[in-house]
Amino acid sequence: LRAVQRRMSGPDSVVAMRTAHVLGDVLVCQNKHTEAEVVYREVLSKQREQLGAEHLDTLGTLVSLGNVFSAQGKVDDALLVLTKMRTVQQRKLGAEHVDTMHTTRNIANTLGGQSKFQEAEVLLRELLEVQQRVCGAEHPSTLLTSF
């Protein structure tokens, strides 16, 4: 499928990049994280060049790459990617956007996994305040954060 779309749309088309991203997702589902990382890095490079560093597709690939880093135990790389991602999301989407909140939770979870509990707590308190304001105190995401 990827080869056909590349032939029809060109190797650097948005369709080809999205298809390659999906290939990376499939590789992740198969626990082929090293191969997925290669695919995501290739897609990310093309997206930055063609779409820009802050395009939503580019940001989505950054999330996927950060998740692959986490799965591979490359926690420092994951934190770097997720932190950059959150900064862009806050600027482009705002702190109250669901994607920004999700990235904040991922960073806090990663920090907690590294026993950086104070840093994680600061982020979770910030996230909880935003969730209570935006989603309400009884929303499942808010309740999850409060535990």
Side-chain angles (χ1 to χ4, degrees), residues 36-104:
E37 179 184 346
V38 171
V39 170
Y40 288 144
R41 284 183 184 273
E42 177 185 315
V43 171
L44 188 59
S45 175
K46 288 180 181 179
Q47 287 173 326
R48 284 180 172 151
E49 182 181 311
Q50 300 290 326
L51 305 174
E54 296 187 0
H55 188 278
L56 291 179
D57 284 358
T58 308
L59 297 178
T61 301
L62 269 176
V63 168
S64 296
L65 185 60
N67 291 337
V68 165
F69 286 153
S70 291
Q72 292 173 314
K74 298 178 180 179
V75 181
D76 291 335
D77 291 335
L79 278 173
L80 181 66
V81 167
L82 292 170
T83 302
K84 284 181 182 179
M85 173 80 178
R86 182 172 180 252
T87 300
V88 173
Q89 286 174 324
Q90 286 175 322
R91 187 174 63 252
K92 281 195 72 133
L93 305 173
E96 296 180 350
H97 192 278
V98 66
D99 290 347
T100 308
M101 289 189 276
H102 186 77
T103 300
T104 301

Side-chain angles (χ1 to χ4, degrees), residues 105 109 124 128 131 137-147:
R105 178 186 305 287
N109 289 342
L124 288 172
L128 183 60
Q131 287 176 320
E138 300 299 317
H139 190 276
S141 294
T142 306
L143 294 172
L144 181 65
T145 301
S146 65
F147 287 107

